[in-house]
Amino acid sequence: MAGGEAGAPLLEKKEAVYREGCPGCAVERRKTLNPGVPYKEFFHIWTIILASCLPVSSLFPFLYFMIRDLYIAKTVEDIGFYAGFVGASYMLGRTLTSTAWGMVADRIGRKPVIVLGLFSVILFSALFGLSVHYWMAVSTRFLLGSLNGIIGPIRAYAIEVCRPEHHAIALSLVSTAWAIGLILGPTIGGYLAQPTEKYPKLFPVDSLFGRFPYLLPCLCISVFSFPVLISCVWLPETLHNHNTDEKEDQASESLTAIFSTTEVIVEHNITSTTKNNVLKNWPLMSSIILFCIIFSLWAESDRKYGGLSFSSEDVGQVLAITGVSILVYQTFIFPRIIRVMGPINTSRVAMSLSVVLLFTYAPITHLSRPWSSIAVNIASILKNNFLITIVTSSFILQNNSVTQDQRATANGLATTLMSFCKTFAPTGGGIVFSWAQKRQHVFFFPGDQMLFFLLAIVELVGLVWTFKPFLVVPDQFSSN
């Protein structure tokens, strides 16, 4: 193929073919005719992820009191032991089923999995609030995690409803909605649990919420999720319901993205060599491993800022400010950075800055008010936005490493490994934290410094992983 004249005949030969009655083709046609950002679809995705994420962490503010009131623990010291199983049951359920839900979404469509996931949020969130026995609390959380298979397919769906030039903002919205949900969830749980004690004029002791003191926050999440479920009636399916050859698929993608002839050929080569087995797709698997390294750091660093004697109001203020910063950054700033630097270089810069940031945590404990509050807010904003930058960049790499018929499976596999890390990382983080606390007065790397030093080591492993031969990226990003 020589010169620029060969490009036009090839594109003309690969003119997109849209099949009547195929929902995936209908979406592709809409993207071709409407090159702008699909704000309506993005908002729909945002609400779905928020509804799915709210029950993940909403129980933690009241879980201690719930276990106490279930009378399963014989002593006060045993409450944490039993609470750990309730907290881990959701992630265990999601670990066991996320890959399977991704495969289902690749076979029958994204929409059925999303609908079932939202229905499970409505049902099992309410049932968890009605738990009067320990086994009921554990089982409802486990079933919620097992049947809520949204997060993998929704990542695939997010990039399928928009043109490739909008993939960065699509996946950043996924990360933003998830982060906001993890902040709003505990807020709902903290303010609405035990309402007869906090708001006796609105909720009498002999009311339903007096008998079930932890129902109100769970019920509010179910009520919020119900209209989101109903709105899925108008959610377009993106999976093609017919067998198309790779040339037609690539033609549709090329016209949608206004890609050049060379890029079409490169992407075709990627998909043809990695189509058969997701586990043998090293560009995919290496980006998933990078994601899991960073997520384990995120999970294990939840105990940051220990020793500052912050009240619950102080912590809530930090989380609220961080949540707003994430929303602004991911919506307006991150897509522009990705457009200029690409996902690989963006990840490397964010990881390098994160390592430096980790070494500033320990000195914060020596600051007096209000400087400690200011420092904590700045550190929290930077830390969370750096990590979300890295995670979203890995999402971009994952979703560009597979074809559409494996995209939900790939994201489901990433969710499985993420959930596995989330199941055990808090335990590992607690062990490391306890060990560090016993080293507070040693001369070389005292407790807090040692803790953040170990976290920095994990971050450095992630940084090294972004280079060859560890991370193999799709050819369209190989120049980064």
Side-chain angles (χ1 to χ4, degrees), residues 450-464:
M450 176 59 73
L451 177 64
F452 295 121
F453 173 75
L454 294 175
L455 292 175
I457 293 297
V458 177
E459 190 82 61
L460 282 173
V461 172
L463 177 60
V464 171

Side-chain angles (χ1 to χ4, degrees), residues 43-164:
F43 178 74
H44 205 166
I45 291 169
W46 201 88
T47 58
I48 289 172
I49 298 171
L50 184 62
S52 174
C53 179
L54 284 176
V56 174
S57 56
S58 62
L59 76 162
F60 293 118
F62 61 80
L63 182 57
Y64 176 91
F65 305 100
M66 186 179 194
I67 299 301
R68 180 198 63 187
D69 294 343
L70 291 175
Y71 301 107
I72 185 67
K74 295 181 179 179
T75 64
V76 174
E77 290 76 14
D78 292 335
I79 292 178
F81 173 80
Y82 289 100
F85 287 103
V86 177
S89 58
Y90 175 89
M91 287 298 168
L92 177 61
R94 201 167 72 175
T95 300
L96 297 176
T97 62
S98 290
T99 302
W101 284 123
M103 296 173 67
V104 170
D106 281 335
R107 296 298 173 87
I108 67 173
R110 285 72 164 111
K111 186 173 179 176
V113 177
I114 292 172
V115 169
L116 179 61
L118 288 172
F119 179 77
S120 69
V121 169
I122 295 171
L123 177 62
F124 293 110
S125 289
L127 288 178
F128 177 73
L130 292 170
S131 297
V132 292
H133 299 288
Y134 180 72
W135 65 264
M136 183 176 179
V138 173
S139 59
T140 50
R141 290 289 296 181
F142 176 79
L143 289 171
L144 175 59
S146 300
L147 298 177
N148 184 8
I150 288 177
I151 190 61
I154 201 68
R155 288 191 206 128
Y157 186 87
I159 71 168
E160 290 168 356
V161 297
C162 65
R163 295 161 64 97

Side-chain angles (χ1 to χ4, degrees), residues 200-480:
K201 293 183 179 180
L202 295 176
F203 303 96
V205 177
D206 57 352
S207 66
L208 176 66
F209 299 106
R211 182 181 178 187
F212 303 102
Y214 310 103
L215 173 61
L216 184 58
C218 301
L219 189 61
C220 286
I221 292 173
S222 296
V223 170
F224 172 78
S225 302
F226 182 74
V228 179
L229 174 63
I230 298 300
S231 69
C232 287
V233 172
W234 297 278
L235 189 72
E237 177 59 65
T238 58
L239 187 67
H240 293 274
N241 62 6
H242 58 85
N243 294 324
T244 59
D245 59 39
E246 293 183 3
K247 291 183 179 180
E248 290 178 355
D249 285 342
Q250 297 307 317
S252 176
E253 289 292 326
S254 65
L255 290 176
T256 301
I258 319 178
F259 277 172
S260 67
T261 301
T262 303
E263 288 171 321
V264 172
I265 295 173
V266 166
E267 188 172 348
H268 180 274
N269 290 336
I270 294 170
T271 58
S272 62
T273 57
T274 62
K275 185 177 178 66
N276 293 330
N277 193 328
V278 170
L279 295 177
K280 294 180 180 180
N281 184 339
W282 186 239
L284 169 68
M285 294 306 299
S286 59
S287 61
I288 287 177
I289 292 171
L290 172 64
F291 168 59
C292 289
I293 291 172
I294 297 304
F295 194 87
S296 66
L297 172 70
W298 199 346
E300 289 191 22
S301 61
D302 283 345
R303 293 175 180 266
K304 62 186 181 301
Y305 311 135
L308 291 172
S309 301
F310 271 24
S311 66
S312 58
E313 289 80 7
D314 293 328
V315 174
Q317 184 183 47
V318 171
L319 292 176
I321 294 173
T322 301
V324 173
S325 74
I326 290 172
L327 181 61
V328 173
Y329 171 77
Q330 288 286 97
T331 304
F332 301 105
I333 302 175
F334 175 77
R336 289 174 171 80
I337 295 176
I338 285 290
R339 195 176 300 125
V340 174
M341 299 178 59
I344 304 299
N345 287 332
T346 301
S347 296
R348 289 169 181 166
V349 171
M351 286 184 188
S352 301
L353 293 175
S354 294
V355 173
V356 176
L357 180 65
L358 282 170
F359 286 105
T360 68
Y361 281 2
I364 291 177
T365 60
H366 302 292
L367 297 176
S368 59
R369 295 292 186 97
W371 299 110
S372 61
S373 297
I374 295 173
V376 166
N377 276 284
I378 294 174
S380 178
I381 290 171
L382 293 175
K383 176 251 187 184
N384 284 283
N385 281 294
F386 286 155
L387 287 173
I388 284 187
T389 296
I390 302 164
V391 169
T392 306
S393 297
S394 72
F395 289 166
I396 295 174
L397 295 176
Q398 291 169 31
N399 282 280
N400 282 278
S401 299
V402 291
T403 52
Q404 191 201 37
D405 61 335
Q406 292 182 330
R407 192 169 287 144
T409 302
N411 281 284
L413 179 61
T415 304
T416 294
L417 296 178
M418 175 195 73
S419 301
F420 180 81
C421 292
K422 189 65 175 176
T423 301
F424 297 101
T427 303
I431 293 172
V432 173
F433 185 79
S434 298
W435 173 74
Q437 288 298 98
K438 298 176 182 178
R439 294 175 44 88
Q440 289 291 354
H441 303 292
V442 300
F443 175 75
F444 182 73
F445 274 115
D448 290 341
Q449 293 182 21
M450 176 59 73
L451 177 64
F452 295 121
F453 173 75
L454 294 175
L455 292 175
I457 293 297
V458 177
E459 190 82 61
L460 282 173
V461 172
L463 177 60
V464 171
W465 198 269
T466 64
F467 293 90
K468 294 180 179 180
F470 305 106
L471 181 65
V472 180
V473 301
D475 287 356
Q476 61 264 45
F477 299 125
S478 59
S479 61
N480 287 301

